[in-house]
Amino acid sequence: MTGPRAIVASTGGEAPFLLEWVAYHRMIGFDTVVLFTHGPDDGTAPLCDAMQAAGLVHHVPNAHLMKGLPDDPQARAFRRAWGMAEVTGAEWVLVADTSEFLAVHAGEGRLNDLFTAAGPTELISATWRVFGNGGEGVFDDRLVTQAFTRAAPLSPPPSPRHYALRTLFRPSVAQRPGVHRPILPPDLIAAEIPPRWLNGSGKEVTEHFLEKGWAATEATVGYDLCQMNRYAIRDSQSFILRMMDKAGEDGPDPSDFDAFNSNEAEDTSLKRWVGPLRREIRAIRKAHKPVARAHDAAVALHRDRIADAIAELAEVDSALATRILAAPLPPADQDDIEDDGLTEPVGPEDAAPQWLADLRRSDHRSGFYQSDRNFAAHFAARDPKQLIISFDNLSNVKDTALSRESWGYSFYRSEGWSHMGVMSFAKNWYRDEALFNFMENLARSGFFKRFKRVTLTGTSMGGYAATAFARLIPGCTVLAFSPQYTLDEAKVPWEERFKSGRSQDWSGRYRDATEELEKAGKVYVLYDPLFEPDRLHGQQYQGPNIVHLKAWYANHKSALFLRRANLLKPLVQMAVRGELDEAAFYRMYRARRALPWYVNGLVDHAMDRGHGDLVKRAGAALVRDGRGFLGNSVQARANGTGSES
């Protein structure tokens, strides 16, 4: 008769990967999973709450400081875990990270097989096997254990850090848990017969680790019975996101990428679990719909956060962004993975987007979806007073995934607004007769009149559409980011961007967005006046209802710039409520000064005008203010040794 086995982890920023991690460790024999959560708002807490309600984990929120406990969230978590009966009452405990999977080589790969092979013992330390990105540059919602099979060589390790341990131990021999191994009480350390400690090959290493030690050596390492697969990088995009989440005032630190992106050898130690793990995850999703929804929402949010993180890194250190995103190896061939013949990702079989799941499963199931050759529109009825209509931009067109969301969907959903998202499947600047007819038919049917307030919004190509269709909805609010008023080459001969858009037919309806705004309410046109093409477009919008909002140094990415400054959401909220004006915008816009993006734009502007000495002084001031990485970068550019971002 065996007792419970508990695995304890402190996690933050790992939401898209948690369901697989929990399912796997439960499958190999951990019947108690304890997750302490902290860190960025990435969907981790809602997913852990859903998994707790499903009986899969014990979730302990751990973001706040607690009197008498360490400030570090990981150390605090382990101290708190030692006060939980689920942990101290277990037969075996493992403290691990949610980027790590315990791989058991003995028998069928379960804990019982490991314990049987190891024999009588109190502690078993599994050494890391560090996995690199295997050439995977882009995040996808599929099994980590399937996607990444390139790892560091077993011997010699590229770095002593690769020999770090994670330790299974019986609570009776521990004074408290530690990160890599438990701390033993002094009386057991001094005992005539101390606790028996084995390495991953079942070899006794008691004398090496009894008092201290967190990593193996060539003399104590062993992988025959078990190892700890550490997926420190995963795909390059996800690594950039984690790096930017952790970035302090000295800027992003790529040292973990350099230390752990090891791809020299192939390791398929978890290959046999891929098929069973897929089936287990599908079973969990089917039985526990809130878990499925929370996972899917976390995946969508992860993709949004990746886009922001890459853009921010490109502004701070474009060379570093390029280096990390460059795939050093072709992706490993996954065709020989043993499984049940189903190849869908971790997500639902139909890869349903969140808006479709909401129409089917939420409290707001009234709506529609209409699809045409070059566009689609989905609508969800929520607030009967407020409708927001969003138009995708050019970058959205490139997203061919079935799980694609319309621009800003998650935000509008969280606000409880009724929402119609217009998605474009072509780089045609919405120059589509079928779309014209669709929008006009909605207007004729009285659809828009059902709502007290209607807001149209979009950026660039979507900004053109938001302004062009405004005449169909008298009194509407328009919030257009970096819009083009037309791409008719006769009117904008200076426009050299957007070749696909300029090649469209710009005769007929909606050919000039500035002609469509007389009946609209407030029309907010937001652009960077220092970026000449956008300034030329923006200044064409004139009239008593036009409000120009100038986003200096945002370049063509005004919406993304505001998002990085945490201004986009409050800006949209104020516009929707009818509270936005120039004074309110510029008060909010002061927050831009904290952005490296803004600082670099200011430096570009000063350097272009020959103010190198001023730039040097600005860099020195940044260093004095504790922003050393950015300040040194600015000074290097002033000295002619830095790269332009």
Side-chain angles (χ1 to χ4, degrees):
M1 188 75 176
T2 61
R5 289 83 180 266
I7 184 168
V8 179
S10 173
T11 187
E14 299 273 303
F17 312 105
L18 286 180
L19 181 55
E20 178 188 3
W21 187 87
V22 169
Y24 170 79
H25 285 98
R26 285 172 57 86
M27 286 176 67
I28 68 168
F30 287 100
D31 38 32
T32 301
V33 179
V34 181
L35 289 175
F36 289 83
T37 60
H38 64 275
D41 182 10
D42 73 326
T44 292
L47 176 56
C48 288
D49 284 342
M51 289 194 291
Q52 176 168 274
L56 301 174
V57 306
H58 296 272
H59 175 211
V60 186
N62 190 44
H64 301 294
L65 298 179
M66 301 180 70
K67 186 176 181 180
L69 293 177
D71 290 348
D72 176 70
Q74 186 182 65
R76 183 166 65 248
F78 299 155
R79 293 287 183 91
R80 296 181 69 187
W82 210 232
M84 297 177 63
E86 294 87 351
V87 177
T88 56
E91 181 187 15
W92 286 93
V93 174
L94 173 64
V95 171
D97 190 274
T98 49
S99 67
E100 300 168 350
F101 289 69
L102 178 64
V104 176
H105 302 314
E108 296 181 354
R110 292 180 169 83
L111 290 180
N112 284 344
D113 300 304
L114 173 61
F115 297 141
T116 297
T121 187
E122 283 75 41
L123 304 101
I124 303 173
S125 286
T127 306
W128 278 356
R129 184 80 191 269
V130 172
F131 286 71
N133 66 8
E136 296 282 354
V138 178
F139 167 72
D140 195 8
D141 182 22
R142 61 179 175 141
L143 298 179
V144 169
T145 47
Q146 173 190 355
F148 304 103
T149 59
R150 304 297 301 183
L154 290 178
S155 181
S159 159
R161 294 175 67 190
H162 283 230
Y163 269 0
L165 306 171
R166 297 293 188 183
T167 304
L168 275 158
F169 64 93
R170 296 183 185 273
S172 59
V173 303
Q175 180 171 305
R176 60 178 174 83
V179 175
H180 296 283
R181 43 77 55 82
I183 307 302
L184 274 57
D187 59 328
L188 283 183
I189 294 174
E192 185 177 345
I193 304 178
R196 189 167 186 250
W197 201 316
L198 305 182
N199 69 3
S201 289
K203 175 184 175 182
E204 186 164 350
V205 290
T206 306
E207 63 179 292
H208 297 277
F209 295 109
L210 197 58
E211 294 189 51
K212 61 183 180 179
W214 60 272
T217 64
E218 285 293 316
T220 60
V221 71
Y223 294 98
D224 295 336
L225 299 183
C226 66
Q227 66 188 45
M228 185 60 78
N229 288 12
R230 179 169 174 80
Y231 301 93
I233 306 297
R234 301 193 187 100
D235 61 274
S236 297
Q237 289 184 340
S238 294
F239 176 81
I240 285 176
L241 174 57
R242 291 195 301 277
M243 180 177 69
M244 298 309 290
D245 279 343
K246 295 178 181 178
E249 292 180 344
D250 290 334
D253 179 5
S255 60
D256 278 355
F257 188 83
D258 299 327
F260 295 130
N261 189 32
S262 297
N263 299 283
E264 295 86 348
E266 184 177 35
D267 184 305
T268 58
S269 53
L270 295 180
K271 175 180 176 179
R272 59 179 165 181
W273 286 105
V274 170
L277 187 51
R278 279 186 179 151
R279 292 191 290 272
E280 177 67 13
I281 290 173
R282 284 199 297 273
I284 291 172
R285 293 179 62 92
K286 185 175 181 180
H288 306 289
K289 299 299 185 185
V291 173
R293 290 195 291 271
H295 169 83
D296 296 343
V299 168
L301 181 56
H302 190 71
R303 289 194 174 102
D304 287 345
R305 296 181 69 239
I306 281 173
D308 290 352
I310 291 173
E312 183 178 10
L313 179 59
E315 292 296 329
V316 173
D317 192 333
S318 59
L320 177 59
T322 299
R323 178 166 73 86
I324 293 176
L325 290 171
L329 294 170
D333 184 2
Q334 301 294 334
D335 292 340
D336 63 345
I337 294 293
E338 292 177 358
D339 120 321
D340 59 356
L342 298 174
T343 58
E344 72 274 8
V346 174
E349 288 81 358
D350 58 0
Q354 187 62 47
W355 57 261
L356 180 56
D358 288 344
L359 285 176
R360 289 289 305 278
R361 299 168 183 159
S362 76
D363 293 334
H364 305 286
R365 293 192 288 273
S366 177
F368 62 73
Y369 173 74
Q370 179 156 333
S371 184
D372 204 270
R373 182 176 182 83
N374 291 324
F375 80 93
H378 67 81
F379 166 70
R382 297 189 185 95
D383 186 344
K385 295 181 180 180
Q386 176 63 56
L387 171 66
I388 190 158
I389 304 172
S390 67
F391 295 88
D392 281 2
N393 57 43
L394 191 62
S395 64
N396 300 126
V397 174
K398 302 173 185 177
D399 184 356
T400 60
L402 291 177
S403 56
R404 169 177 162 182
E405 305 286 3
S406 55
W407 193 62
Y409 176 79
S410 298
F411 170 54
Y412 311 139
R413 174 178 180 255
S414 68
E415 293 296 307
W417 298 328
S418 295
H419 173 223
M420 186 173 81
V422 182
M423 300 184 290
S424 178
F425 305 141
K427 302 176 183 179
N428 64 357
W429 255 250
Y430 296 101
R431 300 298 301 163
D432 187 326
E433 290 292 323
L435 176 61
F436 298 165
N437 294 336
F438 170 74
M439 295 294 292
E440 290 171 3
N441 287 338
L442 286 178
R444 279 193 293 269
S445 71
F447 174 77
F448 301 124
K449 293 180 179 179
R450 292 165 45 184
F451 301 93
K452 182 178 180 180
R453 298 182 301 273
V454 179
T455 302
L456 296 88
T457 189
T459 182
S460 191
M461 182 176 85
Y464 154 76
T467 52
F469 291 115
R471 73 169 175 83
L472 298 175
I473 314 170
C476 68
T477 298
V478 179
L479 184 57
F481 299 91
S482 306
Q484 297 80 54
Y485 78 96
T486 184
L487 289 182
D488 181 348
E489 292 186 330
K491 293 188 173 185
V492 290
W494 42 264
E495 179 61 88
E496 298 179 349
R497 304 170 296 171
F498 318 126
K499 181 178 179 181
S500 59
R502 287 186 283 118
S503 67
Q504 303 301 312
D505 181 359
W506 285 88
S507 63
R509 292 176 285 179
Y510 311 106
R511 60 185 176 271
D512 184 330
T514 63
E515 299 174 354
E516 312 293 341
L517 298 169
E518 184 178 348
K519 295 181 180 180
K522 288 291 185 182
V523 178
Y524 301 99
V525 182
L526 197 149
Y527 57 92
D528 180 353
L530 300 177
F531 185 61
E532 187 67 2
D534 282 2
R535 183 188 69 81
L536 292 173
H537 279 290
Q539 288 190 340
Q540 290 297 315
Y541 290 92
Q542 296 295 330
N545 60 342
I546 308 296
V547 180
H548 292 261
L549 302 177
K550 297 176 181 179
W552 292 279
Y553 307 118
N555 205 280
H556 185 59
K557 301 176 181 178
S558 56
L560 181 59
F561 181 94
L562 291 167
R563 185 172 181 173
R564 292 310 311 160
N566 294 317
L567 295 177
L568 185 58
K569 288 183 179 180
L571 179 74
V572 175
Q573 289 166 336
M574 291 180 71
V576 166
R577 292 194 301 262
E579 299 172 358
L580 182 61
D581 58 23
E582 291 178 88
F585 172 76
Y586 293 120
R587 282 196 299 271
M588 294 170 59
Y589 199 62
R590 291 172 187 157
R592 72 194 186 278
R593 298 170 184 170
L595 274 185
W597 184 334
Y598 174 80
V599 173
N600 282 321
L602 192 63
V603 168
D604 287 340
H605 194 63
M607 292 291 287
D608 287 345
R609 285 156 179 75
H611 299 307
D613 290 340
L614 182 61
V615 170
K616 290 179 184 178
R617 293 200 297 273
L622 287 166
V623 172
R624 288 196 300 272
D625 288 344
R627 304 179 73 185
F629 181 89
L630 183 59
N632 290 331
S633 174
V634 166
Q635 289 181 312
R637 290 175 63 188
N639 292 326
T641 60
S643 60
E644 304 252 340
S645 33

